[in-house]
Amino acid sequence: MNRFLSAALRRKFALGAAILILGSPALFSKTSFSVHDINPSNSLLYSAKIDFPGTSEASSLFEITLGKNSSEGIPSLLTCIPEKMELLSGNVVQLRNSFGTARYNMDSGKLVWILRNEGFPSGWHDAGRQKESPDGRWICQEDSEGSLALVQTATGVQMKITGSCTPSDSSPVKWSPDSRFFLYEDDGTVYFASTEAVIKNLLPPESMRMIGEGGLESVQWLGNSIFYANGDILYRIDEGELYTRGLYYAVLRFGTPVARLARDFDSIYDSFSISPDGKYMLHISGNKTCILYAIPEDFGFASVRKMESLIGLSGSILDLDVFWANDDMPVLWIENLSYTNGKKSASVYAMDRGLRLVSTYADPGDVQLSPDGKKIAFANGRNLEIRILDGWKLISSAKDEKILSFRWMDSDSLIAGGVNTLFKWKLLDGTWKKEVLYLSSVSTAVWNSGKIRAWTENDSTCYEYDEKKNSWTAAGKMNPPVNLTATNGKFRAYTGECPNSAFGNAVYVRSLSSPAFTYPLIPETAEEKKSSGKVSIVFEATRGNEGLAQVLSVLEKYGMRGTFFINGEFIRRYPMETCQIAASGSRCASGFFTSANLLSDAFEIDADFVRRGLARNEDEFLAATGKELELIWHAPFYASNEMMVNAGESAGYVYVDAWTEANDRVSFEEAHSDDEKLYLSADEVIEKTVSRLHDGMVISVDIGNVDGSRTDYVYEKLPVLIRAILEAGYEIVPLPSK
């Protein structure tokens, strides 16, 4: 019999959501509403907040005309949350969120929705990855299924490039500076494509457009050339040679060799950056070391200028960006997860004297280099800062608004989207000045003499809406009204509970004329609908720690409280990482004191062995962290029998058994030598797991690598797994406490 939870744990699931979410909220997509005001013409102002994991906390303002039995027409969307942003040609900014895609023209001051999703999101919605070309005329976009397409921004014409790219949170392509070509990765190989060939439907097959094995971290554009790292060789391919080398790839291979490296480049775990003058290369090896090379003028060995360790700087590295303060001086922006408190931060290091710490930021966001390469802009908590890259001197700071997205327009201006406003930040007469262009969300909205007035959170500035121009204008400082009631003598609007689990509440409209009548403003909120079920994701900390930082970062982003099964081998190998798990607020359960399969013929165990093994793991965890393990456990690799489960229960433990029919614990070598072991890619594991979802399911994800070779791991694509579960209508809940 396949157990997913022990009998005791199944009983806890049956107690309902109040116990299931004890100490941590369930992860589920909901839309909640609030009402503001009704005018004499029966136009209602109300807001919708999309409470999706990993999205902003902003809400969208709507206007709708009320009828006696239902609302009339389609609601007008009056604000735009800039969750994602692209800068297009013609001084146009593209904004994307759960409601669709809008474009704001900075010349006319108008915002136009070019794509509006029907109704209100009632489940997980992913805006997808997009990357605009440098000239803004093209967009490469990838949907949640991984299909990559080229879109002409002026016409909206869309042309499919490939249907098998893997969804992730990084950019789907790398554009050439002249916008004529872009690079993308498909199944472990880098390919090129030209916009001209795509638009004319003359794109050759991928076999004739190969750059080489690897991913986008293996390539970099510099001027009209591509630098490509493979093994211990750095190559250069000029734009004019792309089709020739693609056509004769089997003979000409990768390109012109530029330099021989002291260490092989690992296309899965490494990255590199070439200085603007092409004379230096910084090789980031597995986020563990950085090597600064001087590239020879003629092909030969690249001389090592500096080599620095990245291990233990401030914590586990999540992400690393390289910027060149001058031609031979790299500056590193490193996002990490602290060993001591489990929190995300960013540190800036210069390589002028060893690896020198310049500054640290507690709540980092996106970071971007200005077009002239001299200034750096980055989000930091509720600030957006601009600094001179060489010397890290502060130029200016826009405060009091969390930034969701931004883009440099030129080296003296940028456009930024926060939770409250979309604004332009421009250098004028030596001072950086902020100009609000549009509202992202509002906290209060009222009718005043036929016009809509609105206020954002924590700001007394009043904005007025111009319906003809679809624009907002500041009307001065004034306090918003309080104790509003949405009634006009004909109708009263209010919020209440609803039977649809996809919504947090519903807006109800009460017609006050005789006979009185009440109806839901959004009909689907009144439809009885329950979630597909509840599942839990648990994490295995057994031998490796390679994915720990990524997993903890994703859990923080999505507001999840993870459950980690930690065994003695992990504690002994990685005491600092064990403390990191405990400090992050994650739940720490027992994975026993060893990774050995206790059901193998090499062991003869009894109940006392199980109890002593659990006690030993408790002691090692306490010694490492000063904290106690929760009394939840499973045997190594979930291989157990009734005696082991009963022995654990006699020691006060609850046993958990996860679904492990599809996993990423098999290497290429194992699959080749053992016909009974099946190699599955991370995507295949996720696909099989989601196809078997059911209420009460426990999904196991390893945070370490296997002995042997694999192309990828599920921990690298944890956001993909989470999104797939939410899209299937399931809640993600923590395991209940004992």
Side-chain angles (χ1 to χ4, degrees), residues 203-503:
L203 192 65
E206 284 189 336
S207 61
M208 299 175 63
R209 296 184 286 108
M210 293 177 61
I211 297 296
E213 297 176 351
L216 290 182
E217 295 292 352
S218 304
V219 290
Q220 178 187 328
W221 287 98
L222 187 64
N224 293 325
S225 298
I226 301 167
F227 282 87
Y228 168 60
N230 182 275
D232 66 343
I233 305 293
L234 178 67
Y235 299 89
R236 186 183 65 245
I237 307 171
D238 294 330
E239 276 189 12
E241 302 173 342
L242 281 172
Y243 280 110
T244 302
R245 292 196 176 275
L247 183 62
Y248 299 103
Y249 180 82
V251 178
L252 299 177
R253 299 293 286 171
F254 305 129
T256 303
V258 173
R260 184 93 172 266
L261 308 178
R263 180 177 297 181
D264 280 3
F265 183 87
D266 189 320
S267 62
I268 298 177
Y269 300 109
D270 292 2
S271 61
F272 74 91
S273 177
I274 305 294
S275 64
D277 62 2
K279 294 181 179 180
Y280 297 93
M281 169 185 176
L282 187 67
H283 177 188
I284 308 298
S285 179
N287 282 345
K288 294 181 179 180
T289 59
C290 56
I291 307 170
L292 181 62
Y293 291 106
I295 299 174
E297 293 184 5
D298 298 317
F299 177 69
F301 285 98
S303 60
V304 177
R305 293 278 304 274
K306 296 179 182 179
M307 179 182 293
E308 301 291 342
S309 173
L310 300 173
I311 298 176
L313 291 178
S314 302
S316 302
I317 294 177
L318 297 170
D319 197 11
L320 190 153
D321 289 295
V322 179
F323 304 99
W324 296 85
N326 49 56
D327 287 336
D328 63 349
M329 185 50 57
V331 173
L332 277 57
W333 171 279
I334 302 177
E335 291 188 5
N336 51 60
L337 212 63
S338 170
Y339 289 127
T340 56
N341 61 23
K343 301 298 183 182
K344 180 181 176 181
S345 64
S347 299
V348 181
Y349 292 90
M351 290 188 69
D352 51 357
R353 299 188 300 273
L355 201 59
R356 177 174 59 88
L357 178 63
V358 176
S359 189
T360 300
Y361 302 94
D363 186 16
D366 193 17
V367 56
Q368 295 179 27
L369 186 67
S370 62
D372 63 6
K374 296 180 179 180
K375 293 183 282 292
I376 198 91
F378 58 92
N380 172 35
R382 296 182 67 85
N383 295 339
L384 180 62
E385 295 189 16
I386 299 178
R387 291 181 176 267
I388 297 174
L389 182 58
D390 192 359
W392 208 251
K393 180 182 177 181
L394 179 65
I395 298 176
S396 189
S397 175
K399 299 181 178 180
D400 301 326
E401 183 171 4
K402 185 174 181 61
I403 302 301
L404 304 177
S405 57
F406 71 91
R407 284 285 191 277
W408 283 97
M409 298 178 62
D410 54 50
S411 296
D412 291 326
S413 64
L414 55 79
I415 186 164
V419 294
N420 296 322
T421 62
L422 175 74
F423 63 92
K424 186 177 181 180
W425 201 18
K426 184 175 179 62
L427 180 64
L428 293 171
D429 300 325
T431 303
W432 285 83
K433 296 184 179 180
K434 178 179 176 181
E435 176 191 357
V436 173
L437 304 176
Y438 206 78
L439 295 188
S440 306
S441 65
V442 303
S443 58
T444 304
V446 297
W447 288 100
N448 183 276
S449 301
K451 289 189 175 183
I452 300 171
R453 285 185 170 181
W455 289 260
T456 62
E457 188 179 12
N458 300 325
D459 188 3
S460 61
T461 301
C462 174
Y463 295 91
E464 283 193 352
Y465 180 71
D466 187 324
E467 185 176 1
K468 293 182 179 180
K469 293 183 178 180
N470 187 19
S471 62
W472 290 93
T473 304
K477 297 280 187 178
M478 62 186 77
N479 292 325
V482 295
N483 301 323
L484 290 172
T485 56
T487 181
N488 66 352
K490 299 178 184 177
F491 295 96
R492 181 171 66 90
Y494 61 95
T495 58
E497 296 182 356
C498 70
N500 191 328
S501 64
F503 297 90

Side-chain angles (χ1 to χ4, degrees), residues 595-705:
S595 297
N597 185 348
L598 302 183
L599 295 184
S600 71
D601 295 336
F603 293 93
E604 290 186 10
I605 64 173
D606 56 16
D608 186 56
F609 176 87
V610 173
R611 288 190 290 266
R612 285 188 288 111
L614 290 170
R616 176 177 174 180
N617 209 41
E618 288 180 36
D619 293 341
E620 292 185 344
F621 183 81
L622 178 63
T625 67
K627 299 181 179 181
E628 297 286 351
L629 282 171
E630 290 199 34
L631 300 182
I632 302 173
W633 84 292
H634 70 72
F637 307 109
Y638 292 93
S640 66
N641 56 29
E642 187 174 359
M643 179 275 293
M644 295 164 62
V645 174
N646 292 336
E649 289 186 356
S650 69
Y653 279 81
V654 173
Y655 192 87
V656 173
D657 204 346
W659 185 85
T660 58
E661 293 179 21
N663 60 72
D664 57 0
R665 291 195 292 270
V666 178
S667 66
F668 283 125
E669 293 83 358
E670 287 178 300
H672 180 73
S673 61
D674 189 343
D675 292 338
E676 294 185 359
K677 293 186 176 181
L678 178 64
Y679 178 92
L680 296 174
S681 69
D683 293 325
E684 290 172 328
V685 172
I686 292 172
E687 182 180 354
K688 289 181 178 294
T689 301
V690 173
S691 70
R692 297 290 300 277
L693 287 174
H694 58 271
D695 190 33
M697 184 176 182
V698 178
I699 301 167
S700 171
V701 175
D702 283 81
I703 66 166
N705 295 355

Side-chain angles (χ1 to χ4, degrees), residues 74-278:
I74 300 174
S76 299
L77 180 50
L78 309 182
T79 58
C80 183
I81 303 172
E83 290 181 7
K84 303 288 179 66
M85 177 187 295
E86 290 83 37
L87 188 61
L88 310 182
S89 60
N91 225 14
V92 174
V93 179
Q94 178 169 280
L95 308 170
R96 295 182 290 124
N97 57 39
S98 300
F99 291 105
T101 301
R103 290 181 178 177
Y104 181 86
N105 189 304
M106 284 179 282
D107 293 329
S108 66
K110 292 184 178 180
L111 184 138
V112 177
W113 289 89
I114 63 169
L115 174 65
R116 269 288 303 275
N117 300 326
E118 293 185 5
F120 291 88
S122 58
W124 176 264
H125 173 80
D126 183 13
R129 298 190 299 164
Q130 296 191 9
K131 181 63 177 178
E132 73 273 33
S133 61
D135 64 8
R137 297 176 56 220
W138 310 92
I139 288 178
C140 274
Q141 66 179 27
E142 181 183 285
D143 62 22
S144 59
E145 300 298 323
S147 297
L148 183 68
L150 178 69
V151 180
Q152 192 174 36
T153 58
T155 64
V157 174
Q158 183 176 122
M159 295 137 286
K160 187 173 181 179
I161 305 299
T162 181
S164 58
C165 287
T166 302
S168 73
D169 290 330
S170 60
S171 175
V173 300
K174 285 188 174 180
W175 281 96
S176 63
D178 60 12
S179 302
R180 294 177 56 216
F181 294 89
F182 58 90
L183 306 174
Y184 66 94
E185 183 264 334
D186 187 0
D187 196 23
T189 301
V190 181
Y191 299 92
F192 73 88
S194 78
T195 53
E196 182 180 8
V198 174
I199 199 70
K200 293 181 178 179
N201 199 26
L202 296 175
L203 192 65
E206 284 189 336
S207 61
M208 299 175 63
R209 296 184 286 108
M210 293 177 61
I211 297 296
E213 297 176 351
L216 290 182
E217 295 292 352
S218 304
V219 290
Q220 178 187 328
W221 287 98
L222 187 64
N224 293 325
S225 298
I226 301 167
F227 282 87
Y228 168 60
N230 182 275
D232 66 343
I233 305 293
L234 178 67
Y235 299 89
R236 186 183 65 245
I237 307 171
D238 294 330
E239 276 189 12
E241 302 173 342
L242 281 172
Y243 280 110
T244 302
R245 292 196 176 275
L247 183 62
Y248 299 103
Y249 180 82
V251 178
L252 299 177
R253 299 293 286 171
F254 305 129
T256 303
V258 173
R260 184 93 172 266
L261 308 178
R263 180 177 297 181
D264 280 3
F265 183 87
D266 189 320
S267 62
I268 298 177
Y269 300 109
D270 292 2
S271 61
F272 74 91
S273 177
I274 305 294
S275 64
D277 62 2

